[in-house]
Amino acid sequence: MTVAPPDGSRDRRIEIPSNLWLIHPAGRALLPVALARGISANAVSVAGLCLGGAAAFAYAQWHSWALALVGLVLSIGWLIADGLDGMVARATKTASPLGRMLDGLCDHGVFALIYTALAITIDTPEGWILAFAAGGAHAVQSNMYEGERSRFHRRIKGVALEAPPVPTGNALVRFYDGVAGSIDRIAMPFEHTLGQSSDPVALGTLYGARAVAPLRFMALLTANVRVWAIFVACFAGNPRIFWWFEIVPLTLVAIVGLVWHRRVERAFVRRTSATRPKTASRMHLS
């Protein structure tokens, strides 16, 4: 059985198998090396961007199955770096809004490079339109999923959000954090319920048991799934397959997952609201 990461940053119940058995173990194996050599989290993010750029170059030759396979291997290397930068930041206590933005931009940058490389090789108006549409859908889906996942990990520890965070930093950081935290405002009713609970840890545990299903479903929005989808499409000789996969099925996953998660929250809010008047009445009668 794969054990949870020692820093407790991830709940294995909502992780996909490739993370549990390959990406995260490889990152943890490389963490001591990075720490011993003083490699910063931002440097790891940039190294991941370089690996992703090399993967884009390989996928530009997608007519060759061998180079498509090279693109897959390089993309897996990027996924490992993408997990390692967070491990380094937590281990060295150097996490920052700028680092979070850099990590996000590198993630999006890798896929932007791959999308562009594929669009250049196809070089038709239809190909460019599909590439831009898929890129836009990807950016929205990824930001929403990351927000849902971090929200889940915070809540299962019984920690409620008192108010939606106010983005700080430069304009780019504020914009990125504003988009990433947009769902916080919609999810505030549950945050109030959790914060007002007499036992928030117990409520967080109950919430976690119910929220695992939608979060596991939304794990289809992880970069790992896209990496494999790109390889399959290129190996099949038609990158358009991936773009349509991004635009239609993954968008449906995002919508269904968000609605499902909000329904889980509302069930707890309604249950708490229904019990409070009864409790207040008993107190009044006594």
Side-chain angles (χ1 to χ4, degrees):
M1 177 180 290
T2 303
V3 297
D7 61 9
S9 61
R10 293 176 182 268
D11 188 310
R12 71 183 309 275
R13 293 175 296 175
I14 65 171
E15 291 294 339
I16 61 177
S18 59
N19 271 345
L20 291 173
W21 298 103
L22 175 61
I23 306 302
H24 294 164
R28 288 196 289 273
L30 291 171
L31 179 60
V33 177
L35 295 177
R37 299 192 176 187
I39 300 174
S40 69
N42 289 347
V44 175
S45 295
V46 173
L49 180 61
C50 293
L51 285 170
F57 181 79
Y59 277 129
Q61 320 298 321
W62 54 268
H63 296 92
S64 166
W65 69 265
L67 286 173
L69 184 59
V70 169
L72 173 64
V73 172
L74 290 169
S75 295
I76 292 174
W78 161 65
L79 289 175
I80 294 171
D82 185 45
L84 178 60
D85 60 7
M87 296 179 190
V88 172
R90 288 187 291 271
T92 57
K93 302 186 186 305
T94 55
S96 67
L98 179 60
R100 184 174 61 253
M101 184 201 69
L102 179 62
D103 179 40
L105 288 180
C106 287
D107 294 351
H108 295 312
V110 167
F111 282 106
L113 289 172
I114 293 175
Y115 289 12
T116 301
L118 296 178
I120 289 174
T121 61
I122 294 174
D123 198 23
T124 64
E126 172 251 359
W128 283 105
I129 291 171
L130 283 176
F132 277 111
H138 176 184
V140 173
Q141 295 161 7
S142 294
N143 276 327
M144 287 185 173
Y145 173 65
E146 288 303 319
E148 294 288 270
R149 189 174 66 172
S150 63
R151 196 172 292 113
F152 172 87
H153 283 123
R154 170 175 51 75
R155 289 170 170 178
I156 61 175
K157 298 174 184 177
V159 179
L161 187 68
E162 295 183 0
V166 178
T168 58
N170 62 51
L172 191 56
V173 172
R174 291 198 305 272
F175 174 77
Y176 182 84
D177 285 348
V179 173
S182 59
I183 303 299
D184 282 323
R185 292 181 287 275
I186 302 174
M188 283 309 296
F190 178 82
E191 301 292 352
H192 294 319
T193 298
L194 181 62
Q196 296 169 5
S197 172
S198 59
D199 191 346
V201 174
L203 180 56
T205 299
L206 289 174
Y207 154 81
R210 299 286 181 85
V212 160
L215 265 295
R216 187 182 293 154
F217 177 70
M218 281 189 284
L220 291 170
L221 300 174
T222 58
N224 305 44
V225 172
R226 291 184 176 91
V227 162
W228 282 101
I230 291 170
F231 168 71
V232 169
C234 290
F235 190 78
N238 188 359
R240 296 175 182 82
I241 295 173
F242 166 69
W243 289 331
W244 281 115
F245 174 71
E246 176 72 71
I247 294 168
V248 181
L250 291 189
T251 295
L252 290 175
V253 167
I255 294 171
V256 171
L258 286 171
V259 172
W260 190 355
H261 195 188
R262 300 291 83 76
R263 290 185 64 182
V264 170
E265 295 172 350
R266 285 196 297 271
F268 281 98
V269 173
R270 286 196 299 267
R271 185 180 308 165
T272 302
S273 299
T275 57
R276 279 175 183 163
K278 296 178 182 179
T279 303
S281 297
R282 287 196 295 267
M283 292 177 62
H284 180 72
L285 292 173
S286 63

